[in-house]
Amino acid sequence: MRMAEQTLELDRDKPASTFSQRLAAGLAPLASFFRVFRNRMEINALHDLNDTQLRDIGLTRADLTSAFLASTFFEDPSEHLTRSARNRWRLSSFLRSCE
């Protein structure tokens, strides 16, 4: 008769994080804030483009306005613009395939 081997697993604490890991974790929210701020400035620069140039990248002036209205100050409006451009591209692709 064989005996099944049994092991006892103890809860072990996670290894202590290093100073650089703690520093990176502490600076992550600050880096995120600066990324959102930079993206807002870039979207503001899109207002300088004419309608044809905006259409070339799949956006409209209404998309720019709605991106700012749909996001709070601490949210990234570029995600909204990306969704708008992709949805417009999918719709145009669908309409072309129906012709």
Side-chain angles (χ1 to χ4, degrees), residues 4 7 10 14 18 23 26 37 41 43 48 51-52 62 66 71 77 83:
T7 59
L10 301 174
K14 294 179 185 176
T18 64
L23 182 64
F37 181 74
M41 294 299 105
I43 291 171
D48 295 338
D51 291 338
T52 305
S66 67
S71 61
R83 276 193 307 272

Side-chain angles (χ1 to χ4, degrees), residues 3-93:
M3 227 171 147
E5 210 176 294
Q6 292 183 351
T7 59
L8 179 63
E9 292 188 28
L10 301 174
D11 287 337
R12 294 187 294 183
D13 289 334
K14 294 179 185 176
S17 57
T18 64
F19 173 73
S20 60
Q21 290 171 332
R22 289 191 310 262
L23 182 64
L27 292 177
L30 186 63
S32 176
F33 173 76
F34 281 118
R35 183 175 40 257
V36 168
F37 181 74
R38 184 188 65 227
N39 287 345
R40 283 184 167 276
M41 294 299 105
E42 293 294 327
I43 291 171
N44 271 337
L46 289 176
H47 283 287
D48 295 338
L49 299 177
N50 63 33
D51 291 338
T52 305
Q53 293 169 324
L54 285 173
R55 198 174 326 114
D56 284 344
I57 58 175
L59 297 172
T60 63
R61 295 219 179 271
D63 292 334
L64 299 178
T65 304
S66 67
F68 280 112
L69 294 176
S71 61
T72 65
F73 182 74
F74 295 106
E75 291 177 338
D76 193 354
S78 64
E79 296 171 11
H80 178 78
L81 287 180
T82 302
R83 276 193 307 272
S84 295
R86 284 184 181 159
N87 289 340
R88 186 167 288 109
W89 178 80
R90 286 181 187 133
L91 180 62
S92 67
S93 296

